[in-house]
């Protein structure tokens, strides 16, 4: 991969979406934000609102919270927790977009 990928991490009210859109427009490259959620929803079968919520909340820092997290079985989510499974799918979607060319991802 030899593309420039701009990623913007943001907090609510920071203007990250606006900055991302402006940068993509100025550079003439694609901009991805909500599109990412839709692509992940298609890949996982999870509801878009669930994916958005998971993206907003930090995982539990407690080892007990992680230990008791719901897990899939070998045929479902490859035995991973829902959070881990979602992370892997998000990663794959982002890598696919990055392979296509330069872009801005919020």
């Amino acid at each position: 991969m030899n593309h420039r990928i701009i990623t913007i991490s943001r907090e609510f009210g920071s203007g990250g979406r606006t900055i991302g859109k402006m940068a993509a427009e100025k550079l003439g490259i694609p901009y991805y934000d909500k599109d990412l959620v839709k692509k992940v929803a298609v890949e996982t079968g999870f509801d878009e609102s669930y994916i958005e919520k998971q993206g907003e909340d930090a995982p539990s820092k407690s080892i007990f919270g992680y230990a008791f997290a719901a897990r899939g079985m070998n045929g479902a989510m490859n035995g991973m927790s829902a959070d881990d499974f979602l992370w892997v799918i998000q990663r794959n979607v982002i890598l696919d977009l990055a392979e296509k060319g330069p872009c801005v991802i919020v």
Side-chain angles (χ1 to χ4, degrees), residues 66-84:
Y66 184 78
F68 295 110
R71 303 231 183 279
M73 297 166 60
N74 279 340
M77 299 190 312
N78 298 326
M80 291 185 264
S81 70
D83 289 340
D84 289 346

Side-chain angles (χ1 to χ4, degrees), residues 38-73:
K38 289 178 186 173
K39 289 177 187 297
V40 171
V42 168
E43 293 285 323
T44 61
F46 291 161
D47 187 71
E48 288 181 32
S49 60
Y50 174 78
I51 294 167
E52 281 186 18
K53 175 114 175 72
Q54 292 305 104
E56 298 295 327
D57 296 334
S60 173
K61 293 185 189 226
S62 163
I63 191 155
F64 294 112
Y66 184 78
F68 295 110
R71 303 231 183 279
M73 297 166 60

Side-chain angles (χ1 to χ4, degrees), residues 4-5 12 24 41 45 50-51 55 58 62 66 71-72 76 95 99 106:
R4 289 197 177 182
I5 310 302
F12 183 75
Y50 174 78
I51 294 167
S62 163
Y66 184 78
R71 303 231 183 279
L95 288 174
E99 284 292 324
V106 177

